[in-house]
């Protein structure tokens, strides 16, 4: 398909050659292109459609990449990628060797900051603005942050740090897609934003301030009057108190208003805050009507939309957790569930519906989620924190200081452990075994299949003290899940295959690959189940009856489960060769999950090959 305007744009400099009147047509073409592209590759959808107009306006007004444009999270950066020379590569989005699903510095000079986690944009842009000041460079730094990311403490900390700095050229744009501007007041709000960002208003305000400095009582009166007028029509007070010049809210799909307002802001000094209201899925009615469903999509037919949920397939580990949580809550009124803004992703929709008073979504605030759970546990409740492995990294101090140090009874259900496929290294749970097992009082469980996941969640919940159950994205081996919650023997592994000479110690859901390798090698295979407390008796037993031990885990080799086995052997004075297999000491890029595991040597063939190589040396 050809596009009369979009096909002419290779870099933003080409975009800036267009007439302003051409920009709405360009936005329509860009949305049409994204619909065709993302419906074939899958990926983040509604958020990207909602950010099209803002992206065009930013690259049109500002001199990117000299002016630094920082996206928060980056799940709305596809239009940015198209306009910055990557249109021809969009068919490779999130595929191995193709474009990343988030901004990535190695990919383009226009990707000024690599992201994937939320609420980092303001701090990064402030650092860039400060660097420009120190280096004597005339350029702006622009942070684009969504309303959800504003719930995180890191964003607020950056705002506090940036405010009242009249010498820095920083613009924070709040992309607010949760509210809408009523038609009867939208035009006035747009007009007000243009007025507040214009030279006349700001020049008048600065000049009057210098005059009123000599008459403090009148200055205070004038200041209060200005705040009253702006605060009456806009939620300006909070950001003004932080030292930002608040502008907005404006319609994020009105190109004329966007360009005019951004052009005016470009001429202002000091920290600026622009409030832009957008709609997720803008331009595609099905996504506008159901932005949650169309937040991240698999390939679909645009004319038909996304199909309903799959039925009859293997349950995912996330679904198993969600069902267990509801079943456990039915039998124990002390249970409360906590999520840092990941209700759907963590499988808590049913729990929220059935137990609304015991469900807590704390927003994108992982640190608070963990400390909040600690407070609940202090009062005799039984909190379950449902969190992605990569996001728990953000609450590490709270995990140690607020939960483990006090030996509080908090259960952590850690989703997305190991490689996550298309989302890439920013979302991979590559380190949780390493960073959890070194914490005193912390128990760490790694189920091998669906039923073990349910039973281990029960065991961890019954355990008095902090315990974590980590499980991967997607489904497992298809093992039948038993309704009865019987738990597992605490701290004990089990031998799944008897063999000779070589013993493979598997931690977690790589058990299937370990069994495949065991068949090829006639090796013993043990499902270790627990990373901490480690079944040291089983380790010693296997060491005494075999010539080589092989540890297998979907976690960084450094400090992981294999390291725990080595420590056990060293403490027992046992000397035996050990091969540690796991994730390498570099970040594993995005791609299909099965292929990535094979690349890391963590499929059956790779495990067997590593053993044969060791035996031949």
């Amino acid at each position: 398909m050809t596009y009369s305007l979009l096909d002419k744009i290779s870099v933003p400099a080409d975009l800036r050659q267009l007439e302003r009147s051409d920009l709405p047509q360009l936005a329509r073409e860009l949305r049409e292109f994204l619909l065709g592209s993302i419906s074939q590759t899958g990926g983040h959808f509604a958020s990207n459609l909602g950010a099209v107009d803002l992206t065009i306006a930013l690259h049109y007004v500002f001199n990117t990449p000299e002016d630094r444009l920082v996206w928060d999270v980056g799940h709305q950066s596809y239009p940015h990628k198209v306009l910055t020379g990557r249109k021809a590569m969009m068919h490779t989005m999130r595929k191995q060797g193709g474009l990343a699903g988030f901004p990535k510095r190695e990919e383009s000079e226009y990707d000024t900051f690599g992201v994937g986690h939320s609420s980092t944009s303001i701090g990064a842009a402030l650092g860039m603005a400060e660097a420009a000041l120190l280096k004597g460079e005339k350029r702006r730094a622009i942070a684009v942050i969504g309303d959800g990311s504003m719930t995180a403490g890191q964003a607020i900390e950056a705002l506090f740090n940036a405010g009242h700095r009249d010498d820095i050229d920083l613009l924070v744009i709040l992309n607010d897609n949760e509210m809408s501007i009523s038609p009867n007041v939208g035009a006035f709000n747009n007009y007000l934003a243009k007025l507040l960002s214009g030279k006349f208003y700001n020049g008048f305000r600065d000049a009057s301030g210098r005059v009123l400095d000599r008459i403090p009582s009148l200055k205070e009166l004038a200041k209060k009057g200005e705040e009253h007028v702006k605060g009456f029509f806009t939620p300006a007070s909070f950001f003004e108190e932080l030292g930002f010049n608040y502008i907005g809210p404006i319609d994020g799909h009105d190109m004329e208003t966007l360009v005019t307002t951004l052009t005016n802001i470009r001429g202002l000094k000091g920290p600026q805050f622009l409030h832009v209201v957008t709609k997720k899925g803008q331009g595609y009615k099905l996504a506008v009507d159901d932005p949650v469903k169309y937040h991240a999509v698999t390939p679909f037919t645009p004319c038909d939309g996304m199909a309903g949920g799959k039925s009859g397939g293997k349950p995912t580990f996330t679904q198993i957790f969600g069902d267990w949580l509801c079943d456990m809550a039915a039998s124990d009124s002390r249970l409360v569930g906590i999520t840092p803004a990941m209700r759907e992703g963590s499988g808590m929709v049913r729990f929220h519906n059935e137990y609304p008073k015991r469900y807590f979504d704390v927003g994108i605030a992982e640190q608070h989620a963990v400390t909040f759970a600690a407070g609940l546990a202090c009062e005799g409740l039984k909190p379950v924190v449902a969190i992605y492995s990569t996001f728990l990294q953000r609450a590490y101090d709270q995990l140690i200081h607020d939960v483990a140090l006090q030996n509080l009874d908090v259960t952590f259900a850690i989703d997305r452990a190991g490689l996550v496929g298309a989302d890439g290294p920013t979302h991979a749970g590559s380190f949780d075994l390493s960073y959890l097992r070194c914490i005193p009082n912390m128990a760490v469980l790694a189920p091998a299949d669906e039923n073990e996941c349910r039973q281990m969640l029960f065991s961890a919940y019954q355990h008095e003290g902090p315990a974590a159950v980590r499980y991967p994205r997607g489904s497992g081996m298809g093992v039948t899940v038993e309704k009865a919650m019987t738990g597992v023997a605490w701290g004990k592994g089990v031998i799944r295959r008897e063999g000779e000479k070589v013993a493979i110690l598997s931690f977690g859901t790589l058990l299937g690959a370990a069994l495949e390798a065991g068949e090829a090698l006639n090796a013993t295979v043990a499902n270790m189940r627990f990373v901490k407390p480690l079944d040291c008796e089983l380790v010693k037993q296997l060491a005494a009856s075999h010539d080589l031990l092989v540890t297998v885990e979907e976690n960084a080799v450094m400090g992981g489960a294999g390291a725990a086995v080595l420590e056990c052997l060293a403490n027992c004075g046992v000397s035996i060769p050990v091969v540690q297999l796991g994730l390498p000491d570099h970040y594993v890029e995005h791609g299909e999950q099965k292929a990535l595991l094979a690349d890391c040597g963590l499929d059956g063939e790779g495990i067997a090959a590593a053993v044969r190589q060791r035996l031949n040396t």
Side-chain angles (χ1 to χ4, degrees), residues 465-514:
V469 181
R470 59 104 70 172
Y471 45 90
R473 181 178 192 171
S475 56
M477 296 187 291
V479 173
T480 300
V481 179
E482 298 172 5
K483 181 70 174 177
M485 290 184 281
T486 56
V488 296
W490 192 256
K492 295 297 181 181
V494 293
I495 294 178
R496 291 290 303 271
R497 186 188 189 280
E498 296 281 0
E500 299 177 347
K501 295 184 180 180
V502 176
I504 302 174
L505 286 65
S506 176
F507 295 86
T509 52
L510 292 180
L511 177 62

Side-chain angles (χ1 to χ4, degrees), residues 398-564:
Q398 289 70 28
L399 192 63
I400 295 172
H401 185 275
D402 298 340
V403 174
L405 181 62
Q406 304 182 86
N407 200 29
L408 293 175
D409 196 359
V410 180
T411 301
F412 294 91
I414 303 179
D415 205 331
R416 269 60 166 183
L419 301 180
V420 292
D423 281 340
T426 59
H427 285 61
S430 305
F431 312 110
D432 54 80
L433 295 185
S434 301
Y435 71 66
L436 287 172
R437 77 174 193 86
C438 64
I439 301 175
N441 294 329
M442 179 65 69
V444 185
L445 294 73
D449 58 46
E450 298 90 336
N451 187 53
E452 275 197 351
C453 184
R454 180 176 172 87
Q455 303 307 328
M456 286 188 177
L457 284 165
F458 178 74
S459 293
Y461 184 81
Q462 297 297 327
H463 174 71
E464 295 184 2
V469 181
R470 59 104 70 172
Y471 45 90
R473 181 178 192 171
S475 56
M477 296 187 291
V479 173
T480 300
V481 179
E482 298 172 5
K483 181 70 174 177
M485 290 184 281
T486 56
V488 296
W490 192 256
K492 295 297 181 181
V494 293
I495 294 178
R496 291 290 303 271
R497 186 188 189 280
E498 296 281 0
E500 299 177 347
K501 295 184 180 180
V502 176
I504 302 174
L505 286 65
S506 176
F507 295 86
T509 52
L510 292 180
L511 177 62
L515 287 169
E516 182 183 333
E519 288 293 330
L521 299 167
N522 190 26
T524 296
V525 179
N527 174 15
M528 297 303 296
R529 290 183 168 174
F530 287 78
V531 177
K532 185 179 182 181
L534 180 69
D535 190 348
C536 205
E537 289 302 315
L538 180 57
V539 172
K540 289 191 294 182
Q541 173 190 329
L542 294 171
S545 56
H546 294 79
D547 300 329
L548 176 69
L549 299 186
V550 181
T551 62
V552 179
E553 60 189 301
E554 196 173 344
N555 184 84
V557 169
M558 290 189 175

Side-chain angles (χ1 to χ4, degrees), residues 75-360:
H75 62 304
Q76 76 284 52
S77 65
Y78 293 13
H80 161 81
K81 293 197 180 215
V82 173
L83 297 175
T84 54
R86 288 167 277 183
K87 175 172 171 281
M89 290 287 289
M90 289 298 287
H91 68 283
T92 70
M93 178 64 68
R94 292 158 49 95
K95 297 178 181 178
Q96 196 165 6
L99 295 179
F102 303 94
K104 187 175 181 181
R105 283 171 55 83
E106 299 91 334
E107 196 173 284
S108 171
E109 64 176 332
Y110 292 91
D111 291 0
T112 60
F113 196 73
V115 291
H117 288 186
S118 81
S119 314
T120 61
S121 60
I122 302 175
L126 174 60
M128 295 173 185
E130 191 70 65
L133 185 65
L134 291 171
K135 295 162 67 177
E137 298 174 351
K138 295 294 183 182
R139 54 178 170 80
R140 275 199 169 272
I142 305 105
V144 183
I145 184 168
D147 48 4
S149 295
M150 272 294 187
T151 65
Q154 185 174 2
I156 304 302
E157 290 170 7
L159 287 173
F160 278 133
N161 190 209
H164 302 289
R165 287 290 308 279
D166 293 338
D167 54 343
I168 62 169
D169 289 325
L170 173 67
L171 169 60
V172 175
I173 298 176
L174 173 60
N175 180 15
D176 182 351
N177 49 41
E178 288 299 321
M179 63 171 285
S180 60
I181 302 173
S182 301
N184 60 331
V185 298
F188 178 76
N189 271 317
N190 290 339
Y191 170 76
L192 182 62
K194 292 179 184 179
L195 176 66
L196 296 180
S197 66
K199 292 182 178 180
F200 172 78
Y201 171 84
N202 286 278
F204 174 78
R205 186 176 65 171
D206 293 342
S208 61
R210 289 192 294 272
V211 172
L212 291 174
D213 274 338
R214 303 172 187 175
I215 315 174
S217 60
L218 287 180
K219 179 181 180 182
E220 182 63 24
L221 179 63
K223 178 65 176 176
K224 287 184 178 296
E226 179 193 36
E227 288 178 349
H228 177 73
V229 171
K230 293 179 71 175
F232 183 81
F233 294 108
T234 67
S237 301
F238 175 73
F239 300 105
E240 292 277 3
E241 287 297 325
L242 292 180
F244 281 81
N245 177 40
Y246 175 92
I247 300 160
I250 66 171
D251 185 348
H253 304 302
D254 184 331
M255 191 66 74
E256 175 62 27
T257 295
L258 279 170
V259 172
T260 299
T261 304
L262 289 171
T263 301
N264 288 337
I265 290 174
R266 189 180 59 187
L268 302 179
K269 291 292 184 181
Q272 309 294 320
F273 191 98
L274 175 62
H275 186 169
V276 176
V277 178
T278 62
K279 285 185 179 180
K280 284 184 177 180
Q282 177 74 4
Y284 187 67
K285 187 178 184 303
L286 293 175
V288 172
D289 293 342
D290 194 349
V292 173
K293 179 179 179 179
Y294 285 88
H295 170 71
V297 300
T298 55
F300 67 97
T301 304
C303 61
D304 298 325
M306 289 279 288
K310 295 181 180 179
S311 60
K314 294 186 294 185
T316 65
F317 284 97
T318 302
Q319 292 170 329
I320 289 163
F321 162 72
D323 290 340
W324 168 82
L325 187 66
C326 292
D327 293 344
M328 197 72 243
S331 64
D332 189 345
S333 61
R334 297 172 298 167
L335 184 150
V336 291
I338 303 167
T339 176
M342 295 303 295
R343 186 189 72 156
E344 287 78 14
S346 293
M348 297 185 74
V349 173
R350 179 186 158 200
F351 179 79
H352 181 200
N353 292 334
E354 295 184 9
Y355 301 96
K357 293 184 178 180
R358 294 157 67 181
Y359 166 83
F360 299 95

Side-chain angles (χ1 to χ4, degrees), residues 35-70:
L35 175 59
S37 176
I38 302 173
S39 65
Q40 293 182 34
T41 64
H44 289 101
F45 185 65
S47 54
N48 280 296
L49 291 184
V52 165
D53 307 283
L54 177 60
T55 304
I56 291 173
L58 284 168
H59 282 295
Y60 188 76
V61 172
F62 292 97
N63 184 31
T64 55
E66 181 63 22
D67 289 328
R68 309 296 198 240
L69 180 56
V70 182

